[in-house]
Amino acid sequence: MRKNIVAGNWKMNKTFEEADDLLFDLAESLKDLELENEEVIVCPPAIYLEMSTDVGLENNFAVGAQNCASEASGAYTGEISAAMLKSLEVQYCIVGHSERRKYYHETHEDLEKKVNLLLDNDISPIFCCGEVLEERESEKHFDIIKAQISESLFGLNAEELLNIVIAYEPVWAIGTGKTASSAQAQEMHAFIRGLLSEKYGTEVANEITILYGGSCNAKNAQELFSQNDVDGGLIGGASLKAEDFLAIIKSF
Ligand code: PGA
């Protein structure tokens, strides 16, 4: 179902004590917040998932992983499976973040496998897509996004797709302080919804939550979230302090 979401991607930040403090601060800020059609998701490093779900379940936020294995189980040293995430009551998992595509060479096919495994385990993938600066400058950005979405998601049926959250994250805006303008975000989000509509029909496309990510912060969130097809944000740097994250949540 289409809802407004703010998801915090902590990436590889926070020691155990720092993570514990941030969870405590988040719990304090979120417990009395009235959320109607909004959901808050916290995506800590995997090692902190268990303590995060414990806090989240009692304090108004869902928990997501940042990644999962593309295989179901077995001899894959260092990997964490979708079934393991499920056993910790993790509800979401980021898939295909640009950092994973770039540094860990994840392919469309790997991402498709992850999406399927997550759905089999009742976990909603937060599927990331985004172009690099060179691709935008050479006006290939729409083709890139179309390929990323169609290659990894279009094997799903409509019922499965309804459990997916899409995050558009232009790579040139991630961690750079350079946000896409609200017009650029809206243009791409409308394009993505159009792609979904062509394949699955307008009714299904209108039910999908599409988040914006890339230097989204308390100052620009309201403007971005006010766009028709922008249903919230995937937040990196600004999710590392409860105060900043809360200000973004209040931007709807
Ligand atoms: P940023 O990261 O908010 O620090 O730009 C966003 C993301 O990578 O999800």
Side-chain angles (χ1 to χ4, degrees), residues 8-33:
N9 174 9
W10 294 6
K11 307 192 180 182
M12 196 175 69
N13 292 295
K14 305 287 178 192
T15 60
F16 179 82
E17 268 178 30
E18 290 164 352
D20 195 38
D21 286 349
L22 178 52
L23 287 170
F24 178 81
D25 291 348
L26 284 171
E28 278 299 296
S29 338
L30 291 171
K31 70 173 186 236
D32 297 324
L33 203 67

PDB file of all heavy atoms in Angstrom, residues 8-33:
ATOM      1  N   GLY A   8      15.871   5.456   7.497  1.00  0.00           N
ATOM      2  CA  GLY A   8      17.242   5.887   7.787  1.00  0.00           C
ATOM      3  C   GLY A   8      18.216   4.767   7.490  1.00  0.00           C
ATOM      4  O   GLY A   8      18.079   3.662   8.002  1.00  0.00           O
ATOM      5  N   ASN A   9      19.180   5.062   6.627  1.00  0.00           N
ATOM      6  CA  ASN A   9      20.208   4.090   6.276  1.00  0.00           C
ATOM      7  C   ASN A   9      21.498   4.505   6.989  1.00  0.00           C
ATOM      8  O   ASN A   9      22.161   5.442   6.571  1.00  0.00           O
ATOM      9  CB  ASN A   9      20.383   4.113   4.741  1.00  0.00           C
ATOM     10  CG  ASN A   9      21.529   3.238   4.263  1.00  0.00           C
ATOM     11  OD1 ASN A   9      22.103   2.472   5.030  1.00  0.00           O
ATOM     12  ND2 ASN A   9      21.865   3.353   2.983  1.00  0.00           N
ATOM     13  N   TRP A  10      21.806   3.792   8.059  1.00  0.00           N
ATOM     14  CA  TRP A  10      22.987   4.173   8.863  1.00  0.00           C
ATOM     15  C   TRP A  10      24.295   3.834   8.151  1.00  0.00           C
ATOM     16  O   TRP A  10      25.348   4.249   8.576  1.00  0.00           O
ATOM     17  CB  TRP A  10      22.975   3.458  10.214  1.00  0.00           C
ATOM     18  CG  TRP A  10      21.867   3.846  11.143  1.00  0.00           C
ATOM     19  CD1 TRP A  10      20.800   4.667  10.886  1.00  0.00           C
ATOM     20  CD2 TRP A  10      21.721   3.429  12.510  1.00  0.00           C
ATOM     21  NE1 TRP A  10      20.004   4.780  12.000  1.00  0.00           N
ATOM     22  CE2 TRP A  10      20.542   4.026  13.013  1.00  0.00           C
ATOM     23  CE3 TRP A  10      22.467   2.604  13.355  1.00  0.00           C
ATOM     24  CZ2 TRP A  10      20.109   3.823  14.323  1.00  0.00           C
ATOM     25  CZ3 TRP A  10      22.025   2.397  14.656  1.00  0.00           C
ATOM     26  CH2 TRP A  10      20.860   3.014  15.139  1.00  0.00           C
ATOM     27  N   LYS A  11      24.228   3.010   7.124  1.00  0.00           N
ATOM     28  CA  LYS A  11      25.430   2.521   6.429  1.00  0.00           C
ATOM     29  C   LYS A  11      26.407   1.910   7.452  1.00  0.00           C
ATOM     30  O   LYS A  11      25.958   1.361   8.453  1.00  0.00           O
ATOM     31  CB  LYS A  11      26.068   3.639   5.602  1.00  0.00           C
ATOM     32  CG  LYS A  11      25.032   4.297   4.669  1.00  0.00           C
ATOM     33  CD  LYS A  11      25.625   5.188   3.636  1.00  0.00           C
ATOM     34  CE  LYS A  11      24.509   5.771   2.789  1.00  0.00           C
ATOM     35  NZ  LYS A  11      24.997   6.616   1.729  1.00  0.00           N
ATOM     36  N   MET A  12      27.724   2.052   7.232  1.00  0.00           N
ATOM     37  CA  MET A  12      28.679   1.406   8.145  1.00  0.00           C
ATOM     38  C   MET A  12      29.142   2.425   9.197  1.00  0.00           C
ATOM     39  O   MET A  12      30.304   2.838   9.223  1.00  0.00           O
ATOM     40  CB  MET A  12      29.872   0.830   7.368  1.00  0.00           C
ATOM     41  CG  MET A  12      30.690  -0.168   8.194  1.00  0.00           C
ATOM     42  SD  MET A  12      32.002  -0.967   7.254  1.00  0.00           S
ATOM     43  CE  MET A  12      33.150   0.360   6.970  1.00  0.00           C
ATOM     44  N   ASN A  13      28.189   2.848  10.018  1.00  0.00           N
ATOM     45  CA  ASN A  13      28.477   3.830  11.058  1.00  0.00           C
ATOM     46  C   ASN A  13      27.964   3.316  12.390  1.00  0.00           C
ATOM     47  O   ASN A  13      27.035   2.528  12.430  1.00  0.00           O
ATOM     48  CB  ASN A  13      27.783   5.160  10.728  1.00  0.00           C
ATOM     49  CG  ASN A  13      28.402   5.819   9.514  1.00  0.00           C
ATOM     50  OD1 ASN A  13      29.572   6.214   9.530  1.00  0.00           O
ATOM     51  ND2 ASN A  13      27.643   5.909   8.432  1.00  0.00           N
ATOM     52  N   LYS A  14      28.570   3.822  13.479  1.00  0.00           N
ATOM     53  CA  LYS A  14      28.166   3.579  14.869  1.00  0.00           C
ATOM     54  C   LYS A  14      28.784   2.310  15.478  1.00  0.00           C
ATOM     55  O   LYS A  14      28.637   1.214  14.939  1.00  0.00           O
ATOM     56  CB  LYS A  14      26.634   3.465  15.012  1.00  0.00           C
ATOM     57  CG  LYS A  14      25.844   4.661  14.475  1.00  0.00           C
ATOM     58  CD  LYS A  14      25.966   5.858  15.359  1.00  0.00           C
ATOM     59  CE  LYS A  14      25.231   7.057  14.795  1.00  0.00           C
ATOM     60  NZ  LYS A  14      25.572   8.314  15.502  1.00  0.00           N
ATOM     61  N   THR A  15      29.419   2.521  16.616  1.00  0.00           N
ATOM     62  CA  THR A  15      29.859   1.385  17.436  1.00  0.00           C
ATOM     63  C   THR A  15      28.637   0.894  18.215  1.00  0.00           C
ATOM     64  O   THR A  15      27.580   1.538  18.179  1.00  0.00           O
ATOM     65  CB  THR A  15      30.927   1.832  18.461  1.00  0.00           C
ATOM     66  OG1 THR A  15      30.325   2.834  19.291  1.00  0.00           O
ATOM     67  CG2 THR A  15      32.149   2.404  17.759  1.00  0.00           C
ATOM     68  N   PHE A  16      28.798  -0.184  18.927  1.00  0.00           N
ATOM     69  CA  PHE A  16      27.665  -0.749  19.663  1.00  0.00           C
ATOM     70  C   PHE A  16      27.041   0.285  20.601  1.00  0.00           C
ATOM     71  O   PHE A  16      25.824   0.483  20.622  1.00  0.00           O
ATOM     72  CB  PHE A  16      28.132  -1.980  20.470  1.00  0.00           C
ATOM     73  CG  PHE A  16      27.035  -2.607  21.274  1.00  0.00           C
ATOM     74  CD1 PHE A  16      26.140  -3.486  20.682  1.00  0.00           C
ATOM     75  CD2 PHE A  16      26.873  -2.293  22.620  1.00  0.00           C
ATOM     76  CE1 PHE A  16      25.110  -4.059  21.420  1.00  0.00           C
ATOM     77  CE2 PHE A  16      25.844  -2.862  23.361  1.00  0.00           C
ATOM     78  CZ  PHE A  16      24.962  -3.741  22.757  1.00  0.00           C
ATOM     79  N   GLU A  17      27.898   0.977  21.365  1.00  0.00           N
ATOM     80  CA  GLU A  17      27.355   1.957  22.323  1.00  0.00           C
ATOM     81  C   GLU A  17      26.688   3.124  21.634  1.00  0.00           C
ATOM     82  O   GLU A  17      25.648   3.613  22.065  1.00  0.00           O
ATOM     83  CB  GLU A  17      28.471   2.480  23.227  1.00  0.00           C
ATOM     84  CG  GLU A  17      28.580   1.650  24.476  1.00  0.00           C
ATOM     85  CD  GLU A  17      29.709   2.100  25.374  1.00  0.00           C
ATOM     86  OE1 GLU A  17      30.045   3.296  25.381  1.00  0.00           O
ATOM     87  OE2 GLU A  17      30.259   1.221  26.050  1.00  0.00           O
ATOM     88  N   GLU A  18      27.286   3.572  20.553  1.00  0.00           N
ATOM     89  CA  GLU A  18      26.683   4.697  19.804  1.00  0.00           C
ATOM     90  C   GLU A  18      25.336   4.291  19.203  1.00  0.00           C
ATOM     91  O   GLU A  18      24.384   5.061  19.186  1.00  0.00           O
ATOM     92  CB  GLU A  18      27.630   5.156  18.683  1.00  0.00           C
ATOM     93  CG  GLU A  18      28.878   5.845  19.181  1.00  0.00           C
ATOM     94  CD  GLU A  18      29.970   5.947  18.117  1.00  0.00           C
ATOM     95  OE1 GLU A  18      29.821   5.349  17.023  1.00  0.00           O
ATOM     96  OE2 GLU A  18      30.979   6.614  18.384  1.00  0.00           O
ATOM     97  N   ALA A  19      25.282   3.044  18.714  1.00  0.00           N
ATOM     98  CA  ALA A  19      24.029   2.555  18.125  1.00  0.00           C
ATOM     99  C   ALA A  19      22.952   2.471  19.196  1.00  0.00           C
ATOM    100  O   ALA A  19      21.803   2.862  18.988  1.00  0.00           O
ATOM    101  CB  ALA A  19      24.254   1.183  17.489  1.00  0.00           C
ATOM    102  N   ASP A  20      23.357   1.986  20.369  1.00  0.00           N
ATOM    103  CA  ASP A  20      22.431   1.866  21.488  1.00  0.00           C
ATOM    104  C   ASP A  20      21.893   3.262  21.867  1.00  0.00           C
ATOM    105  O   ASP A  20      20.685   3.452  22.063  1.00  0.00           O
ATOM    106  CB  ASP A  20      23.206   1.231  22.660  1.00  0.00           C
ATOM    107  CG  ASP A  20      22.294   0.718  23.746  1.00  0.00           C
ATOM    108  OD1 ASP A  20      21.230   0.180  23.391  1.00  0.00           O
ATOM    109  OD2 ASP A  20      22.639   0.862  24.933  1.00  0.00           O
ATOM    110  N   ASP A  21      22.778   4.249  21.920  1.00  0.00           N
ATOM    111  CA  ASP A  21      22.358   5.626  22.261  1.00  0.00           C
ATOM    112  C   ASP A  21      21.388   6.175  21.217  1.00  0.00           C
ATOM    113  O   ASP A  21      20.377   6.785  21.553  1.00  0.00           O
ATOM    114  CB  ASP A  21      23.576   6.573  22.302  1.00  0.00           C
ATOM    115  CG  ASP A  21      24.413   6.334  23.548  1.00  0.00           C
ATOM    116  OD1 ASP A  21      23.949   5.613  24.451  1.00  0.00           O
ATOM    117  OD2 ASP A  21      25.546   6.856  23.587  1.00  0.00           O
ATOM    118  N   LEU A  22      21.715   5.958  19.949  1.00  0.00           N
ATOM    119  CA  LEU A  22      20.849   6.498  18.889  1.00  0.00           C
ATOM    120  C   LEU A  22      19.471   5.836  18.923  1.00  0.00           C
ATOM    121  O   LEU A  22      18.442   6.505  18.782  1.00  0.00           O
ATOM    122  CB  LEU A  22      21.521   6.327  17.514  1.00  0.00           C
ATOM    123  CG  LEU A  22      20.737   6.804  16.287  1.00  0.00           C
ATOM    124  CD1 LEU A  22      20.247   8.252  16.445  1.00  0.00           C
ATOM    125  CD2 LEU A  22      21.580   6.692  15.018  1.00  0.00           C
ATOM    126  N   LEU A  23      19.457   4.529  19.163  1.00  0.00           N
ATOM    127  CA  LEU A  23      18.161   3.835  19.252  1.00  0.00           C
ATOM    128  C   LEU A  23      17.343   4.377  20.417  1.00  0.00           C
ATOM    129  O   LEU A  23      16.135   4.595  20.299  1.00  0.00           O
ATOM    130  CB  LEU A  23      18.371   2.323  19.423  1.00  0.00           C
ATOM    131  CG  LEU A  23      18.849   1.587  18.176  1.00  0.00           C
ATOM    132  CD1 LEU A  23      19.258   0.164  18.528  1.00  0.00           C
ATOM    133  CD2 LEU A  23      17.763   1.578  17.096  1.00  0.00           C
ATOM    134  N   PHE A  24      18.017   4.640  21.521  1.00  0.00           N
ATOM    135  CA  PHE A  24      17.334   5.173  22.689  1.00  0.00           C
ATOM    136  C   PHE A  24      16.767   6.561  22.361  1.00  0.00           C
ATOM    137  O   PHE A  24      15.598   6.861  22.633  1.00  0.00           O
ATOM    138  CB  PHE A  24      18.320   5.252  23.869  1.00  0.00           C
ATOM    139  CG  PHE A  24      17.705   5.847  25.102  1.00  0.00           C
ATOM    140  CD1 PHE A  24      16.918   5.064  25.944  1.00  0.00           C
ATOM    141  CD2 PHE A  24      17.899   7.188  25.424  1.00  0.00           C
ATOM    142  CE1 PHE A  24      16.329   5.628  27.084  1.00  0.00           C
ATOM    143  CE2 PHE A  24      17.314   7.750  26.558  1.00  0.00           C
ATOM    144  CZ  PHE A  24      16.528   6.967  27.382  1.00  0.00           C
ATOM    145  N   ASP A  25      17.577   7.411  21.736  1.00  0.00           N
ATOM    146  CA  ASP A  25      17.115   8.764  21.366  1.00  0.00           C
ATOM    147  C   ASP A  25      15.943   8.681  20.385  1.00  0.00           C
ATOM    148  O   ASP A  25      14.982   9.439  20.481  1.00  0.00           O
ATOM    149  CB  ASP A  25      18.247   9.565  20.712  1.00  0.00           C
ATOM    150  CG  ASP A  25      19.337   9.921  21.713  1.00  0.00           C
ATOM    151  OD1 ASP A  25      19.113   9.750  22.929  1.00  0.00           O
ATOM    152  OD2 ASP A  25      20.429  10.340  21.265  1.00  0.00           O
ATOM    153  N   LEU A  26      16.035   7.770  19.429  1.00  0.00           N
ATOM    154  CA  LEU A  26      14.943   7.627  18.449  1.00  0.00           C
ATOM    155  C   LEU A  26      13.662   7.183  19.133  1.00  0.00           C
ATOM    156  O   LEU A  26      12.584   7.712  18.876  1.00  0.00           O
ATOM    157  CB  LEU A  26      15.319   6.599  17.375  1.00  0.00           C
ATOM    158  CG  LEU A  26      16.316   7.046  16.317  1.00  0.00           C
ATOM    159  CD1 LEU A  26      16.744   5.861  15.466  1.00  0.00           C
ATOM    160  CD2 LEU A  26      15.705   8.140  15.436  1.00  0.00           C
ATOM    161  N   ALA A  27      13.822   6.213  20.033  1.00  0.00           N
ATOM    162  CA  ALA A  27      12.647   5.698  20.747  1.00  0.00           C
ATOM    163  C   ALA A  27      11.985   6.834  21.518  1.00  0.00           C
ATOM    164  O   ALA A  27      10.762   6.995  21.488  1.00  0.00           O
ATOM    165  CB  ALA A  27      13.070   4.580  21.688  1.00  0.00           C
ATOM    166  N   GLU A  28      12.801   7.656  22.187  1.00  0.00           N
ATOM    167  CA  GLU A  28      12.263   8.785  22.957  1.00  0.00           C
ATOM    168  C   GLU A  28      11.507   9.748  22.057  1.00  0.00           C
ATOM    169  O   GLU A  28      10.423  10.219  22.375  1.00  0.00           O
ATOM    170  CB  GLU A  28      13.431   9.564  23.617  1.00  0.00           C
ATOM    171  CG  GLU A  28      13.909   8.955  24.896  1.00  0.00           C
ATOM    172  CD  GLU A  28      12.806   8.920  25.965  1.00  0.00           C
ATOM    173  OE1 GLU A  28      12.363  10.000  26.385  1.00  0.00           O
ATOM    174  OE2 GLU A  28      12.404   7.814  26.356  1.00  0.00           O
ATOM    175  N   SER A  29      12.086  10.059  20.895  1.00  0.00           N
ATOM    176  CA  SER A  29      11.452  11.040  20.002  1.00  0.00           C
ATOM    177  C   SER A  29      10.221  10.473  19.310  1.00  0.00           C
ATOM    178  O   SER A  29       9.293  11.198  19.005  1.00  0.00           O
ATOM    179  CB  SER A  29      12.389  11.520  18.895  1.00  0.00           C
ATOM    180  OG  SER A  29      13.703  11.362  19.186  1.00  0.00           O
ATOM    181  N   LEU A  30      10.244   9.167  19.043  1.00  0.00           N
ATOM    182  CA  LEU A  30       9.171   8.615  18.206  1.00  0.00           C
ATOM    183  C   LEU A  30       7.979   8.091  18.983  1.00  0.00           C
ATOM    184  O   LEU A  30       6.889   7.978  18.445  1.00  0.00           O
ATOM    185  CB  LEU A  30       9.728   7.479  17.333  1.00  0.00           C
ATOM    186  CG  LEU A  30      10.689   7.926  16.240  1.00  0.00           C
ATOM    187  CD1 LEU A  30      11.334   6.712  15.594  1.00  0.00           C
ATOM    188  CD2 LEU A  30       9.963   8.742  15.179  1.00  0.00           C
ATOM    189  N   LYS A  31       8.196   7.796  20.243  1.00  0.00           N
ATOM    190  CA  LYS A  31       7.126   7.063  20.938  1.00  0.00           C
ATOM    191  C   LYS A  31       5.820   7.851  21.025  1.00  0.00           C
ATOM    192  O   LYS A  31       4.750   7.267  20.981  1.00  0.00           O
ATOM    193  CB  LYS A  31       7.598   6.542  22.289  1.00  0.00           C
ATOM    194  CG  LYS A  31       7.834   7.584  23.332  1.00  0.00           C
ATOM    195  CD  LYS A  31       8.123   6.918  24.669  1.00  0.00           C
ATOM    196  CE  LYS A  31       8.201   7.985  25.729  1.00  0.00           C
ATOM    197  NZ  LYS A  31       9.391   8.037  26.483  1.00  0.00           N
ATOM    198  N   ASP A  32       5.910   9.188  21.096  1.00  0.00           N
ATOM    199  CA  ASP A  32       4.671   9.961  21.217  1.00  0.00           C
ATOM    200  C   ASP A  32       4.234  10.611  19.903  1.00  0.00           C
ATOM    201  O   ASP A  32       3.280  11.373  19.872  1.00  0.00           O
ATOM    202  CB  ASP A  32       4.831  11.057  22.278  1.00  0.00           C
ATOM    203  CG  ASP A  32       5.092  10.445  23.637  1.00  0.00           C
ATOM    204  OD1 ASP A  32       4.517   9.381  23.918  1.00  0.00           O
ATOM    205  OD2 ASP A  32       5.893  11.024  24.396  1.00  0.00           O
ATOM    206  N   LEU A  33       4.969  10.340  18.857  1.00  0.00           N
ATOM    207  CA  LEU A  33       4.648  10.977  17.581  1.00  0.00           C
ATOM    208  C   LEU A  33       3.429  10.304  16.954  1.00  0.00           C
ATOM    209  O   LEU A  33       3.366   9.078  16.898  1.00  0.00           O
ATOM    210  CB  LEU A  33       5.858  10.813  16.656  1.00  0.00           C
ATOM    211  CG  LEU A  33       6.004  11.804  15.518  1.00  0.00           C
ATOM    212  CD1 LEU A  33       6.290  13.196  16.082  1.00  0.00           C
ATOM    213  CD2 LEU A  33       7.157  11.377  14.615  1.00  0.00           C
TER     214      LEU A  33
END
